[in-house]
Amino acid sequence: MADLDNIAVLAGLKQKMQFLSERQAVLAQNIANANTPGYKPKDIKPVDFGAAVKSASRRLEMAATDPKDIRHHPKG
């Protein structure tokens, strides 16, 4: 069975879901304390998930099980 954390897109989705879960908890706390004197609303730092996925996808390499399946055509 494959380790799903090694698949860049799925790892990015997992990270995004964790971020959204944490942010929802912070926003719920803001709402719960909206009428508390002196309470200052909080938020968490946004993450650039698009950049993370692009960075991870650059490391992907194509693999062939048989050299005849994919022929290499050098640029030139």
Side-chain angles (χ1 to χ4, degrees):
M1 188 157 107
D3 181 9
L4 296 181
D5 286 336
N6 289 332
I7 300 173
V9 173
L10 295 179
L13 287 173
K14 180 180 175 184
Q15 187 179 19
K16 177 76 173 193
M17 289 172 52
Q18 288 172 335
F19 167 81
L20 292 172
S21 177
E22 290 174 24
R23 185 154 192 257
Q24 187 274 335
V26 170
L27 295 177
Q29 189 174 28
N30 288 344
I31 292 168
N33 290 295
N35 291 331
T36 303
Y39 181 80
K40 294 185 181 178
K42 299 171 185 152
D43 203 351
I44 58 177
K45 182 181 174 187
V47 178
D48 186 358
F49 294 101
V53 170
K54 284 180 187 177
S55 150
S57 66
R58 284 187 212 131
R59 295 182 296 218
L60 297 177
E61 295 180 17
M62 191 173 350
T65 56
D66 184 330
K68 292 181 269 179
D69 289 343
I70 300 173
R71 293 191 170 81
H72 175 68
H73 297 285
K75 294 179 183 179

